[in-house]
Amino acid sequence: AKQVLMEGMAKFPANSRIIEGLISLYTDPENPVGDPQELQEMVDGALAKDPNNKDLWNGRAIMFNSMKNYDEAIENFTMAADAAEMFDNVVDMNKNRTYVGQMYQAKGADAFNSEDYATAIAVFSKGYEADPRNTDMALNLAESYFKSDMYQEGMKICTKISQLNAEKFGEAIAA
């Protein structure tokens, strides 16, 4: 499949769907066909020609996520969300904003697992702001506050979660 897509790129260098196919192959978590950095120049060239292409921004974000470069992934998922919003595509806008939250969650988890709770709070706070319905992130933020002896702040987050949907999230709060 990689070879077919590369041949397609040679014939149709402006075809963003081919680039998206390559990104998918290169970032496949179970069987990647290469280093996603190899595609960066190609993706950047396509974005220079079509800077409002939400799918290319999304693909570029996926590339950075696969390399665990969360800051770049956050920036690119944000660009994808902004491009989707520009074209009134609410579904893709919300999907990419959710991904922004997930990147903050992954980045915050690294800090939390290293017991760097101040950094975890800063990162989880940004992620919670980006995706306030992400209860996992909110609970991680609350736990970071608790680990930092900032109980009032942690309880404020827990209260917000419980107000979202008491039936669905009540058990998580009680645990």
Side-chain angles (χ1 to χ4, degrees):
K2 176 183 173 182
Q3 185 59 36
V4 170
L5 289 170
M6 291 304 249
E7 289 171 9
M9 277 308 301
K11 292 179 184 175
F12 308 103
N15 188 319
S16 64
R17 294 291 180 208
I18 295 172
I19 295 171
E20 291 167 29
L22 283 167
I23 291 169
S24 180
L25 286 173
Y26 274 72
T27 59
D28 181 339
E30 294 179 19
N31 191 24
V33 298
D35 182 352
Q37 285 183 317
E38 296 172 15
L39 300 177
Q40 189 169 346
E41 187 176 317
M42 185 185 308
V43 174
D44 290 348
L47 279 167
K49 294 175 187 163
D50 187 6
N52 297 319
N53 187 320
K54 66 175 174 49
D55 296 321
L56 286 173
W57 284 114
N58 179 276
R60 193 169 190 271
I62 291 168
M63 287 170 36
F64 284 114
N65 179 45
S66 73
M67 295 182 278
K68 304 218 181 303
N69 184 337
Y70 300 123
D71 291 329
E72 286 289 334
I74 289 166
E75 181 179 328
N76 283 272
F77 279 128
T78 300
M79 294 297 291
D82 292 347
E85 182 178 31
M86 185 183 316
F87 294 103
D88 294 324
N89 186 334
V90 176
V91 171
D92 280 349
M93 178 188 70
N94 288 334
K95 176 179 71 172
N96 281 290
R97 287 191 177 150
T98 298
Y99 293 151
V100 168
Q102 290 172 352
M103 294 303 98
Y104 278 117
Q105 190 165 343
K107 184 178 177 181
D110 287 349
F112 184 89
N113 292 335
S114 298
E115 298 182 6
D116 181 357
Y117 302 119
T119 299
I121 289 169
V123 173
F124 287 142
S125 292
K126 288 179 184 177
Y128 185 50
E129 183 180 322
D131 187 8
R133 298 190 65 79
N134 182 333
T135 55
D136 289 336
M137 174 121 46
L139 290 169
N140 289 336
L141 175 58
E143 182 68 18
S144 298
Y145 279 130
F146 296 146
K147 295 273 188 183
S148 300
D149 295 328
M150 300 170 74
Y151 299 104
Q152 292 287 47
E153 290 84 351
M155 287 308 298
K156 286 178 189 175
I157 299 299
C158 290
T159 300
K160 287 180 182 180
I161 297 168
S162 69
Q163 292 170 346
L164 286 174
N165 183 337
E167 283 182 31
K168 183 174 181 182
F169 304 118
E171 284 184 36
I173 298 297

